[in-house]
Amino acid sequence: MVQGPLELPQLSSAGKTAAALKSSNGHVEGSATSDWSPSSWTTKPIKQDVIYDDREALEKSLRKLERLPPLVTSTEIVKLRKALRDAALGKAFLLQGGDCAELFDYCEDDAITSKIKLLLQMSLVLIWGANKPVVRIARMAGQFAKPRSSPTEDYNGRQIPSFRGDNINGYDPEERTPDPSRLVSAYFHSAATLNYMRAQISSGIADLHNPLDWNLGHVQDPSIKAKYSRIIASITESLRFMHTVGADTAGQLETVDLFTSHEGLLLEYEQTLTRRLRNPAGKNALNQGTFAHPTTSASGSNPSTTSITATTTTTEDETHGWYNTSTHFLWIGDRTRQLDGAHVEYFRGLENPIGIKVGPSMEADELVRLLDIVDPKKETGKVTLITRYGEGKVEGLLGKHIEAVRQSGHVVVWQCDPMHGNTRSTPTGIKTRHFSSILSEVSSALRIHQQHGSVLGGVHLELTGDAVTECVGGSEGLTDDDLSLNYTTYCDPRLNEKQALELAFLVAGFFRGEDFGS
């Protein structure tokens, strides 16, 4: 998309480089302000912070980022807001996926193309199964930083800083000192990735008139292979019929919307790309009128709605807003969601749609208080709750959270992350995830939402378009012994392209009324 001239923020002394407000031990100097600004997070305690030895180099990098143009536009961000509003109301389904920790080396044509194609194929299967539009968000073009449980690790008998992601330090043990120049490198790698994504989509990679590679040679079970073949035949026949009757002449089958996302972890970086911009036409309408809680019938059929009246509306004279222009969608991690913390403070002022990871330690009342802070206007679909309990805990937690949010009046997108709660280590210390555990948590989430008259609005997956061997199980029958064949992740294990597509087939089958996993 192309947008007119963008307005850059006039940073006050409190809004200049965040590094200038921090002492060398990471504590914030100065007092809190009553109003939100892109820098007000610096008055709050922060988790997962990065301390740089070279403060002058950090300030130089942040000043450079403040001058660089936005990576995405407010028009694109508001378009995603509208799509997620539909997902919150059960009228669309959200597919979000990509690498656990993006590397600068992933900024190359084959890696980008393979992920675009995989997300496209998965979305086609989900459209066929759910009979509703699919909102596609890639964990790409900025998902570089990762929170870690420990700031250090043991290496050959000595303690070294943990690898925190390519925009902080290097994976090589000799490159573990945080380097502020990597922040600028992250911007340019994100820009290059976004540029190639947009070029590929506009050049026809998403044109559904072109045949897609649906190779099912990896499926070992003949009955499962036959089932998937029938689904593919049905999708192909539907596309052929639309072409025959001329229903595809408006261009909808030639391109798609593909949005980007990353965890908003490094607030210094995010602040520099937070800009005061004019709201696009139609933005204020996102929070006007009557909203509805989505519900499903016991059979899992199309949702009905129960109307509730919004408590607040956007004022007509509000013409500008603060947009994070580093990506379309950011989320707060399970380690950085403290109610009085810096990340929650930063997120509460953004016009972007935001996500919140919800883990086993989240109490129901804490979740509602968090929603009240980041979304006081209760805008439908503004917040996506990304639940990540683990297959053994979802049964005891999800229902309580659903009911608490319903009673609060917030209408959110409920999204299942079946990856992070199901990580285990092999006897030799290799991190992996079992496909059956991932499938089990998605299955439970679908069923529990149905039981509570709610709607699971999407899935959040760590995946890659490459033939990696990092998660075990699935139709390929990968075992712990196969992990060494092509284990390339620098952080958490990802579904490969065959496992990810298989999961899409199974979710589509659920929406079609089939037994999950049958």
Side-chain angles (χ1 to χ4, degrees), residues 389-513:
Y389 306 111
E391 63 170 332
K393 299 179 179 179
V394 60
E395 297 283 348
L397 295 170
L398 178 56
K400 297 176 183 177
H401 287 156
I402 292 173
E403 291 304 323
V405 173
R406 184 201 308 278
Q407 293 172 18
S408 75
H410 289 277
V411 184
V412 303
V413 180
W414 287 99
Q415 189 182 33
C416 176
D417 170 4
M419 310 294 292
H420 285 88
N422 294 303
T423 305
R424 67 175 180 86
S425 293
T426 67
T428 57
I430 301 174
K431 287 203 304 186
T432 188
R433 292 156 171 161
H434 203 292
F435 185 84
S436 63
S437 298
I438 295 168
L439 182 62
S440 174
E441 183 159 357
V442 177
S443 173
S444 295
L446 284 161
R447 177 174 45 77
I448 293 168
H449 275 285
Q450 191 178 83
Q451 291 172 346
H452 286 264
S454 178
V455 172
L456 179 65
V459 290
H460 186 116
L461 307 170
E462 290 184 338
L463 54 82
T464 176
D466 300 326
V468 300
T469 54
E470 297 169 3
C471 293
V472 298
S475 293
E476 290 180 282
L478 296 179
T479 67
D480 287 0
D481 293 336
D482 297 317
L483 294 176
S484 61
L485 296 176
N486 193 25
Y487 194 99
T488 64
T489 183
Y490 285 80
C491 194
D492 291 337
R494 304 160 293 178
L495 295 171
N496 62 32
E497 82 282 16
K498 295 170 183 175
Q499 292 167 326
L501 191 57
E502 180 176 0
L503 186 64
F505 279 128
L506 293 170
V507 173
F510 174 89
F511 285 121
R512 288 272 175 162

Side-chain angles (χ1 to χ4, degrees), residues 16-31:
K16 292 180 180 177
T17 56
L21 294 174
K22 289 186 178 181
S23 61
S24 59
N25 63 5
H27 293 158
V28 175
E29 300 171 353
S31 59

Side-chain angles (χ1 to χ4, degrees), residues 168-180:
I168 299 175
N169 56 6
Y171 187 77
D172 188 300
E174 303 305 318
E175 298 179 349
R176 294 297 178 87
T177 300
D179 179 0

Side-chain angles (χ1 to χ4, degrees), residues 217-271:
H218 66 284
V219 181
Q220 299 177 358
D221 188 315
S223 62
I224 295 177
K225 187 171 184 177
K227 173 185 171 183
Y228 292 171
S229 296
R230 289 194 299 271
I231 293 175
I232 292 168
S234 178
I235 294 172
T236 304
E237 180 59 31
S238 296
L239 293 172
R240 184 182 300 115
F241 174 78
M242 291 179 67
H243 179 66
T244 300
V245 300
D248 61 348
T249 56
Q252 292 94 334
L253 298 187
E254 297 174 1
T255 187
V256 297
D257 289 322
L258 178 60
F259 301 97
T260 61
S261 66
H262 64 254
E263 180 176 354
L265 189 62
L266 288 184
L267 297 183
E268 291 93 343
Y269 177 85
E270 305 301 344
Q271 176 186 325

Side-chain angles (χ1 to χ4, degrees), residues 122-390:
M122 293 176 70
S123 66
L124 275 179
V125 174
L126 292 170
I127 291 170
W128 173 86
N131 196 31
K132 63 179 69 171
V134 168
V135 184
R136 307 168 185 86
I137 304 180
R139 289 173 55 118
M140 289 174 65
Q143 178 53 17
F144 298 116
K146 286 294 292 183
R148 304 309 298 262
S149 57
S150 173
T152 62
E153 63 181 72
D154 183 75
Y155 177 75
N156 290 340
R158 63 188 176 98
Q159 289 291 305
I160 64 173
S162 298
F163 175 58
R164 305 273 306 269
D166 258 1
N167 60 349
I168 299 175
N169 56 6
Y171 187 77
D172 188 300
E174 303 305 318
E175 298 179 349
R176 294 297 178 87
T177 300
D179 179 0
S181 69
R182 288 177 172 268
L183 296 172
V184 179
S185 293
Y187 172 93
F188 285 109
H189 281 87
S190 296
T193 300
L194 266 167
N195 179 66
Y196 191 67
M197 288 171 61
R198 287 175 166 137
Q200 283 284 65
I201 290 173
S202 66
S203 298
I205 190 175
D207 189 344
L208 300 187
H209 298 96
N210 298 328
L212 293 170
D213 180 14
W214 296 98
N215 182 9
L216 297 175
H218 66 284
V219 181
Q220 299 177 358
D221 188 315
S223 62
I224 295 177
K225 187 171 184 177
K227 173 185 171 183
Y228 292 171
S229 296
R230 289 194 299 271
I231 293 175
I232 292 168
S234 178
I235 294 172
T236 304
E237 180 59 31
S238 296
L239 293 172
R240 184 182 300 115
F241 174 78
M242 291 179 67
H243 179 66
T244 300
V245 300
D248 61 348
T249 56
Q252 292 94 334
L253 298 187
E254 297 174 1
T255 187
V256 297
D257 289 322
L258 178 60
F259 301 97
T260 61
S261 66
H262 64 254
E263 180 176 354
L265 189 62
L266 288 184
L267 297 183
E268 291 93 343
Y269 177 85
E270 305 301 344
Q271 176 186 325
T272 64
L273 288 165
T274 304
R275 309 289 166 83
R276 182 75 170 170
L277 305 176
R278 181 175 294 278
N279 292 326
K283 187 269 173 186
N284 289 340
L286 286 171
N287 195 38
Q288 293 178 351
T290 300
F291 298 155
H293 280 296
T295 59
T296 58
S297 66
S299 63
S301 58
N302 289 335
S304 59
T305 58
T306 302
S307 296
I308 63 173
T309 302
T311 57
T312 60
T313 58
T314 305
T315 57
E316 293 182 356
D317 61 347
E318 189 176 45
T319 59
H320 290 70
W322 288 102
Y323 293 83
N324 181 305
T325 64
S326 72
T327 191
H328 302 105
F329 178 99
L330 298 100
W331 70 86
I332 306 173
D334 199 41
R335 294 184 177 97
T336 55
R337 54 171 175 76
Q338 296 77 24
L339 297 179
D340 62 346
H343 289 82
V344 171
E345 169 64 20
Y346 171 75
F347 271 71
R348 75 178 179 89
L350 298 178
E351 297 291 347
N352 303 62
I354 63 173
I356 299 172
K357 286 293 187 82
V358 180
S361 63
M362 176 78 85
E363 298 293 338
D365 61 341
E366 179 189 10
L367 176 56
V368 172
R369 289 165 61 200
L370 181 53
L371 287 172
D372 288 341
I373 293 172
V374 299
D375 183 27
K377 296 179 183 178
K378 299 184 178 179
E379 297 178 88
T380 302
K382 168 67 186 294
V383 177
T384 296
L385 294 181
I386 311 167
T387 59
R388 41 149 298 175
Y389 306 111

